[in-house]
Amino acid sequence: MAVLLTGGAGYIGSHTAVELISDGRSIVIADNFSNSSPGVIDRIEKITGRRPKVYDIDVCSPEALEKVFSENEIDSVVHFAGFKAVGESVAKPLMYYENNLYATINLLKTMKRHGTRRIVFSSSATVYGNPKTVPIREDADRYCTNPYGWTKYMSEQILTDAANADPELSVVLLRYFNPIGAHKSGLIGDDPSGIPNNLLPYITQVAVGRREFLGVFGNDYNTHDGTGVRDYIHVVDLAKGHLKAIDYAMNNSGVLAVNLGTGIGYSVLDIVKAFESATGLHIPYRIQQRRSGDIDACFADPAAALEKLGWKASLGIEEMCASAWNWQKNNPYGYGEKK
Ligand code: UD1
């Protein structure tokens, strides 16, 4: 029996692969490496001593996915694969809807044919849009501000409807807050293509000398220092949450939506300071215009994850920053190769 990880070579997928293998579980990765590097697989092997079985396929291809399910006994799926750049989704909405929604549908159809009944979905706090109150509980209103977010929202709906129609299906929707950091080995980490959109990869690229300074997007938000507040969570804690979600899905049917966050909000300037103190480096920054679509504050109420999954984040901001730097310093250009 194996766990299929779609998008298992990506940032969160690769960290989850390591945790699953280290826990003695069998995994199969399906990834088309459109936004990840084949070299990730060597790194997973180096960390764990085991090389996962890998299919270089598009999850949207019915034939290719059928082959994965017919050649392996897949008892659960963690679905990470998908396009994830907010700005690009605004420019190319149809590409996002087609890819992200069809991957979910194709996966569910193939799972049904093969009697695979458990799926953990990589969702995002982006489904809460601009929250009315923080911390955010899972039953808060949901609304998205860009097509990427809507693909997460709609995939959640597709999965929910599929579970409502099939009492044997078990769905766990994991709503990630802001994953940062890297595995302690420094062998795997976040490696965005082009100019990073997210805060931490931008900071580590400034630290390593690839960029001159950090642009801080606005200092007039309604927060303690005027810069945006988010719930940053160590990617290894996040990865461990997936193991708990798979176990939950083994023992329960129906749909469960769970926030994976720490419950603590840090501002952009808090993060700059935390990074400087964890690494001893100086990060020059300049205050710039707000980025369109950004919100004041977003952080989780993580109580449901503890109650339902028995999961709680354990790594603090210092370890998040130190591990992000350890990865970037050892791999100044990331994996250095992409398809
Ligand atoms: C972003 C996405 C969100 C996605 C998440 C994945 C947007 C609007 N939202 O969330 O949909 O699920 O990433 O991790 O892109 N910041 C700077 N300078 C930078 C980069 C970021 O000041 O160069 C600030 C932002 O204004 C924000 C904070 O840092 O206040 C975090 O930004 P980011 O890492 O992009 O995450 P989110 O915007 O929360």
Side-chain angles (χ1 to χ4, degrees):
M1 287 299 190
V3 182
L4 172 65
L5 308 186
T6 73
Y11 173 46
I12 303 171
S14 59
H15 284 83
T16 304
V18 164
E19 293 306 316
L20 282 163
I21 297 173
S22 304
D23 194 50
R25 309 193 197 197
S26 274
I27 67 162
V28 173
I29 289 177
D31 201 302
N32 66 358
F33 300 100
S34 65
N35 193 23
S36 58
S37 302
V40 172
I41 307 302
D42 296 337
R43 306 287 183 96
I44 294 173
E45 183 179 9
K46 210 163 172 185
I47 296 169
T48 63
R50 271 169 58 195
R51 190 170 187 85
K53 193 165 176 185
V54 179
Y55 288 82
D56 180 351
I57 62 149
D58 187 336
V59 180
C60 290
S61 159
E63 298 74 27
L65 202 59
E66 176 59 32
K67 188 166 148 59
V68 176
F69 276 78
S70 51
E71 290 181 0
N72 300 278
E73 276 192 51
I74 307 291
D75 67 350
S76 46
V77 176
V78 187
H79 180 32
F80 298 103
F83 295 151
K84 60 171 190 178
V86 174
E88 185 183 51
S89 80
V90 175
K92 299 176 181 168
L94 300 184
M95 186 176 103
Y96 268 67
Y97 288 117
E98 183 172 44
N99 184 70
N100 291 4
L101 299 185
Y102 192 65
T104 303
I105 292 168
N106 193 32
L107 199 48
L108 282 168
K109 285 168 77 177
T110 314
M111 285 172 61
K112 177 104 181 153
R113 276 200 305 279
H114 290 268
T116 305
R117 301 197 178 103
R118 298 156 197 115
I119 180 164
V120 174
F121 178 60
S122 177
S123 189
S124 166
T126 197
V127 300
Y128 297 119
N130 192 351
K132 285 199 195 93
T133 52
V134 280
I136 307 171
R137 281 166 40 129
E138 288 80 357
D139 58 4
D141 288 347
R142 288 177 298 135
Y143 183 83
C144 300
T145 53
N146 57 73
Y148 156 74
W150 283 118
T151 69
K152 292 295 180 191
Y153 179 106
M154 290 178 193
S155 282
E156 285 198 357
Q157 190 63 46
I158 291 167
L159 287 154
T160 302
D161 290 339
N164 288 340
D166 178 356
E168 293 199 320
L169 188 63
S170 180
V171 172
V172 181
L173 309 171
L174 295 180
R175 297 185 182 146
Y176 310 150
F177 281 68
N178 290 59
I180 61 170
H183 189 263
K184 61 179 186 301
S185 62
L187 286 167
I188 55 174
D190 198 0
D191 181 23
S193 335
I195 301 170
N197 292 313
N198 296 122
L199 181 62
L200 244 291
Y202 207 103
I203 291 179
T204 59
Q205 290 194 9
V206 171
V208 84
R210 285 174 64 180
R211 320 226 166 247
E212 201 187 332
F213 62 89
L214 169 72
V216 173
F217 300 150
N219 65 350
D220 56 352
Y221 284 103
N222 184 21
T223 62
H224 63 273
D225 62 15
T227 64
V229 165
R230 298 290 184 274
D231 184 336
Y232 296 92
I233 171 168
H234 199 300
V235 68
V236 172
D237 270 336
L238 191 80
K240 289 182 174 156
H242 293 74
L243 276 65
K244 299 284 191 183
I246 294 167
D247 293 343
Y248 177 91
M250 291 283 183
N251 299 311
N252 297 274
S253 58
V255 183
L256 176 72
V258 183
N259 291 335
L260 292 187
T262 65
I264 303 168
Y266 288 103
S267 73
V268 177
L269 295 182
D270 290 338
I271 295 293
V272 171
K273 281 187 214 119
F275 188 87
E276 291 183 333
S277 103
T279 62
L281 299 166
H282 173 59
I283 302 297
Y285 67 83
R286 291 183 200 163
I287 306 294
Q288 298 180 338
Q289 295 289 312
R290 286 183 176 207
R291 178 173 66 182
S292 135
D294 274 358
I295 56 179
D296 301 87
C298 172
F299 54 95
D301 177 338
L306 184 59
E307 189 197 323
K308 304 277 187 192
L309 305 182
W311 173 94
K312 193 174 184 295
S314 68
L315 301 168
I317 199 66
E318 162 106 26
E319 278 154 305
M320 298 184 213
C321 292
S323 64
W325 174 234
N326 184 44
W327 150 253
Q328 187 78 74
K329 156 179 100 196
N330 289 317
N331 306 271
Y333 288 88
Y335 296 102
E337 26 87 29
K338 285 213 173 112
K339 236 189 195 178

